[in-house]
Amino acid sequence: AQSVTQLDSHVSVSEGTPVLLRCNYSSSYSPSLFWYVQHPNKGLQLLLKYTSAATLVKGINGFEAEFKKSETSFHLTKPSAHMSDAAEYFCVVSDPNAGKSTFGDGTTLTVKP
Amino acid sequence: NAGVMQNPRHLVRRRGQEARLRCSPMKGHSHVYWYRQLPEEGLKFMVYLQKENIIDESGMPKERFSAEFPKEGPSILRIQQVVRGDSAAYFCASSPATLSQETQYFGPGTRLLVL
């Protein structure tokens, strides 16, 4: 069984300040973890993924995430927010024994000028 | 290499009608997944298919919903006798294999509105 909890449904930051989107997961095996971004009325775009290689994963648009097994966390960060980062972000855990991916409920990121 | 394609992008149906959603996976991908996103919610897994096989349909409603991925042509998600609660965005994703390391690539979605 697997599950994902995104701890904040909404995060608001000012442009140029750091972003932290929190994600905790539960899994009975070594998971693969992903972050996707969804802009309004658009599809999902992969930001980054963790697949048991380096625990610090760098993605597109300056985002990165760190896999912490002891804390069962995979938080998404960015040093400096940009207005174009405003979107919905989904943390995803994938079952290695099947094709099913479990999505978190999403975090809406608002970036204030 | 074209990405995952879904059509139509928007679909309006009246209660009781049928909705057919199509998904063409990326070239070389033989695994297709369907997800539903209700308003203000995250994506929920519905079904996972390979060519001519349903691998996991644990997320599919028991009635009115069906999915197929024929040997030739796109994957089809079919909703019979639609109700207002079926209004949602339906996303298709594809991958080249089932390994968890393989990224699922998402299509732009079909937004279904049931009047």
Side-chain angles (χ1 to χ4, degrees):
Chain A
Q2 59 189 22
S3 66
V4 177
T5 302
Q6 290 185 243
L7 298 164
D8 308 291
S9 58
H10 293 86
V11 170
S12 180
V13 301
S14 297
E15 189 175 20
T17 64
V19 175
L20 170 63
L21 305 183
R22 297 183 294 166
C23 173
N24 285 101
Y25 69 92
S26 171
S27 174
S28 54
Y29 37 75
S30 296
S32 287
L33 295 158
F34 306 78
W35 275 98
Y36 286 87
V37 60
Q38 184 182 31
H39 290 275
N41 297 315
K42 300 286 187 182
L44 285 86
Q45 181 182 19
L46 179 69
L47 281 177
L48 49 81
K49 67 178 182 179
Y50 165 77
T51 57
S52 72
T55 56
L56 183 61
V57 182
K58 294 187 183 299
I60 62 171
N61 301 336
F63 284 94
E64 61 182 40
E66 186 172 7
F67 174 71
K68 291 187 177 180
K69 186 175 181 179
S70 60
E71 299 177 10
T72 61
S73 69
F74 190 58
H75 301 334
L76 182 71
T77 60
K78 182 174 180 177
S80 176
H82 192 272
M83 295 297 291
S84 61
D85 294 328
E88 186 85 7
Y89 291 79
F90 294 98
C91 181
V92 182
V93 61
S94 182
D95 182 346
N97 299 314
K100 181 164 45 179
S101 291
T102 301
F103 280 71
D105 288 336
T107 297
T108 302
L109 176 65
T110 301
V111 182
K112 298 175 289 186
Chain B
N1 187 6
V4 178
M5 297 170 63
Q6 290 186 250
N7 68 82
R9 294 290 304 275
H10 299 272
L11 182 62
V12 180
R13 285 287 178 266
R14 297 191 181 278
R15 282 178 296 169
Q17 292 184 318
E18 179 179 286
R20 278 178 175 253
L21 289 61
R22 296 175 185 77
C23 169
S24 296
M26 287 181 68
K27 187 176 181 180
H29 288 192
S30 58
H31 300 250
V32 166
Y33 316 82
W34 285 94
Y35 296 85
R36 177 166 64 176
Q37 184 179 33
L38 294 169
E40 308 297 325
E41 295 187 13
L43 277 75
K44 304 298 182 187
F45 168 82
M46 298 182 75
V47 63
Y48 160 44
L49 310 103
Q50 296 179 26
K51 288 282 188 182
E52 300 184 283
N53 283 304
I54 296 175
I55 308 302
D56 182 350
E57 56 181 348
S58 58
M60 287 279 271
K62 299 300 181 189
E63 298 177 346
R64 301 188 297 109
F65 284 71
S66 62
E68 63 176 7
F69 189 17
K71 187 177 181 180
E72 301 291 338
S75 175
I76 305 288
L77 179 67
R78 182 182 177 202
I79 312 172
Q80 295 177 289
Q81 300 174 341
V82 295
V83 301
R84 288 212 174 114
D86 296 332
S87 296
Y90 292 83
F91 290 94
C92 167
S94 74
S95 71
T98 191
L99 297 175
S100 64
Q101 292 85 348
E102 294 291 346
T103 300
Q104 293 183 14
Y105 295 87
F106 284 81
T110 294
R111 283 156 179 82
L112 172 65
L113 176 63
V114 179
L115 301 176

